[in-house]
Each structure stands twice: as structure tokens, then as C-alpha cells.
Amino acid sequence: MSETPEASQAAEAAVEAPAKKPVTAGRVKKTAAKPAKSTRAAAPAKAAEPAGAAAPAKAAKPSRAAAPVKAARPPKAESHTALVRRARRIDRELAEIYPYAHPELDFENPFQLLVATVLSAQTTDLRVNQTTPALFARYPTPEDLAAADPEEVEEILRPTGFFRAKTKSVIGLSKALAEQFGGEVPGRLEDLVKLPGVGRKTAFVVLGNAFGRPGITVDTHFQRLVKRWRWTEESDPDKIEAAVGALFPKSAWTMLSHHVIFHGRRICHARKPACGACPIAPLCPAYGEGETDPEKARKLLKYEKGGFPGQRLNPPQSYLDAGGRPAPPLGAG
């Protein structure tokens, strides 16, 4: 992936200038548009912000005369420097909200992460995590999976959907790893994308989380949120990757992806975003597309912020320390 353009570097200098201190978890920033002055109207209710893994505190119910909270919308002609500043502020806020953000696929080595990421297409990470233990117990190495009976692999992968195509991909990539790379997952983008079933998104997941090499993961959550935040109007994943990458230093790309995806799965949902419980509502141009009532919005929260387990059967310790719960194995409950 190419380095950040010079235009972003210039913006970086502008952004690093002294700015307002970011708001910490537990309170909402005062950038929301103020309601019309009235001696009778009460102040708008503040959006409830979950802190860590704990459920958000209840916000006081607004009076009947209270005006709804409105997010500050960026101007139509927002400059590149202003966009960079706003985008990075959102990422800083998300880093405080999700300090334990991580890839939500269970894996112990690059091979397991590569296979799990390929299997995650058109299904949830949870379902992949519930399926791969049996797969890796039977076929722990690329050589083992390359020599597997396709029908046996199909039966194991059936719960993930599109199991025939996925079986072909994981057996094919395992053969390529065994024959071309000595049974080792390569650590270069140009090598990974040549493997069957592996595109740029999958490659960046592996590079960023198994090799520590920065990359942006443009999945469905990432695409949805960056459009709502007006970071880009692009629809093609490769163009989204380039446009968003230009707003951030390369070193931030991997964790940026985790922050955005975590937020998309937990609060900023596709059909009913929980706007009234969103800590970054004052920075969101799309505020109001979802439920704005704090009480109703809190009921839409998912995973640890709503009292439910996350996606991994074996999550990292930082997630457990923050109050997150492991997901149940396949067939449990």
C-alpha cells in the first residue's frame, strides 16, 4: 500500500498544532448545536456514553419542551485540513471508548488468521470462531489442509455458509503455501494477494495483526461508518482505503480499523444506529439517522456495551479485564 500523500503530511502539521483537549470517556462534548433560546425549554439531554465495558449510565429524561440533541454538521465545503482534524479526533475518541479493540477472529498463528479471515466472508466472526477449532484440530498446518479430503472439510465448514467455495479457497491457499512458501504465510502484500481467496482486505488483516505491518481493513462496517462521517464519498474498497489512508499516519491504520469496526458492530449499526447512546454524536454528520432517544438507543447496544458477549471464544486478556465476555462455542445454548 502506498505511503500517505504529501497533502496529508501538510494536513498533519496543521492538525498537530495546539487544539482543544479531546473529551474523555464519560461525558459528551459541547460541540452539539445549541437549541433555540427559551425560558421554558430545558437543556437537551446528553447522549449517554458507555465507559469501558460497563453499561452506560442512565441519562436524565428530557422534558417535553426540550429540544433534541443535534450534532454539529461539517460545512459542505469542509477543507482537507478540517476533515483531517475531525477524522483524527473521532479516532482519538474511539480509542478511549474501545481501549481493548482487537481483531475479533480467534487465531494462534498467521496461518490460522489467514484461513479464518477467508472463512469470515458472508458470515460473522462469531460463527467462524465457533467453526475453526474443529478445523485446526484436524488440519493444524498448511500441509495437512492441502492434503485434506474436500468433502470432509466441507462438512466442517458448512456452518459458515458458501462452504464449497470456502473449502476450495482454504485448500487452494494451503497448497500454495506448502508448495511456494515452505508452509509459511508470507509477510508481503504482493505475495498474499496471489493466494486463492485472498484479497487486499484479507491481506491487511493478516499483515496488521500477525506481522505488525500497518493496513486498513475495509469491511462492510468500515465502509458504512466512513461514509456516515463523510471521510470519503468513494464506494470502491480500494479507493476508500486510499482516501481514508490519506487522512491518517500509516502507523495508525491497523488500530484505526479496529476502532471503526468495533464501533460499527456495537453502536453504529447498519439499520438502527444507536445515535442517542453514541459518545461521538457531536462529531457525526449523520446523527439522527438512528434512534436519538437515549433510553431507546441504549436498548440497541450490542456486545459488551449491551451486556452481551463479543465475537471471540478466546478474547485477549485486555478485553476480559474491561468486562468483556467470551462468546459461546458452537452448539452451546
Side-chain angles (χ1 to χ4, degrees):
M1 187 168 186
S2 61
E3 296 290 340
T4 305
E6 294 180 0
S8 177
Q9 295 177 0
E12 169 75 10
V15 172
E16 296 306 323
K20 292 182 179 180
K21 184 177 180 181
V23 175
T24 57
R27 60 191 179 94
V28 177
K29 289 165 287 307
K30 299 180 181 179
T31 53
K34 295 182 178 178
K37 292 184 178 180
S38 172
T39 56
R40 296 181 179 178
K46 292 184 178 180
E49 176 175 352
K58 292 185 177 180
K61 293 184 178 180
S63 64
R64 294 182 179 179
V69 175
K70 292 184 179 180
R73 294 178 178 272
K76 293 182 179 180
E78 185 178 34
S79 69
H80 181 73
T81 298
L83 172 59
V84 170
R85 182 179 293 113
R86 183 169 61 86
R88 295 188 184 185
R89 186 177 178 187
I90 287 175
D91 186 46
R92 289 196 301 270
E93 294 291 330
L94 294 179
E96 290 187 8
I97 299 164
Y98 310 109
Y100 44 80
H102 57 271
E104 293 195 271
L105 288 169
D106 282 323
F107 69 98
E108 296 178 355
N109 54 57
F111 173 62
Q112 290 187 1
L113 179 58
L114 176 61
V115 171
T117 306
V118 170
L119 296 178
S120 67
Q122 304 299 317
T123 191
T124 63
D125 286 357
L126 171 59
R127 183 47 58 95
V128 174
N129 292 335
Q130 292 172 328
T131 305
T132 51
L135 179 71
F136 295 138
R138 187 157 189 174
Y139 310 106
T141 69
E143 291 82 1
D144 294 325
L145 191 51
D149 181 343
E151 291 186 359
E152 293 180 359
V153 177
E154 286 179 0
E155 193 59 34
I156 295 175
L157 300 185
R158 186 180 293 273
T160 68
F162 301 95
F163 57 91
R164 292 188 178 88
K166 291 179 180 180
T167 294
K168 184 177 180 181
S169 291
V170 298
I171 289 180
L173 71 84
S174 296
K175 288 181 178 178
L177 291 175
E179 296 171 0
Q180 301 174 30
F181 299 100
E184 299 292 333
V185 176
R188 300 195 312 164
L189 175 65
E190 53 267 38
D191 292 330
L192 286 169
V193 295
K194 293 178 182 178
L195 299 173
V198 178
R200 290 179 67 88
K201 184 191 81 170
T202 296
F204 282 133
V205 170
V206 175
L207 290 173
N209 298 288
F211 293 98
R213 297 176 183 174
I216 293 178
T217 303
V218 184
D219 71 350
T220 56
H221 301 288
F222 195 94
Q223 291 184 53
R224 179 176 73 254
L225 269 61
V226 299
K227 278 196 171 185
R228 282 179 175 171
W229 295 335
R230 296 185 189 172
W231 288 3
T232 179
E233 294 298 325
E234 299 291 351
S235 298
D236 179 76
D238 290 351
K239 292 182 179 179
I240 292 174
E241 175 195 321
V244 175
L247 303 177
F248 295 87
K250 191 172 183 178
S251 60
W253 289 352
T254 298
M255 287 309 300
L256 168 69
S257 300
H258 293 326
H259 296 155
V260 174
I261 293 170
F262 253 60
H263 193 63
R265 285 176 169 167
R266 287 155 173 77
I267 295 179
C268 196
H269 314 135
R271 294 185 180 179
K272 286 188 175 183
C275 294
C278 181
I280 62 168
L283 298 171
C284 181
Y287 176 83
E289 287 187 9
E291 180 57 64
T292 58
D293 179 84
E295 293 293 339
K296 294 180 179 178
R298 274 194 289 273
K299 296 178 181 180
L300 300 174
L301 300 179
K302 294 183 179 179
Y303 307 134
E304 74 280 1
K305 293 193 178 301
F308 303 105
Q311 299 278 284
R312 294 182 68 162
L313 279 67
N314 298 297
Q317 189 60 44
S318 61
Y319 180 75
L320 298 175
D321 291 343
R325 292 162 47 196
L330 190 65

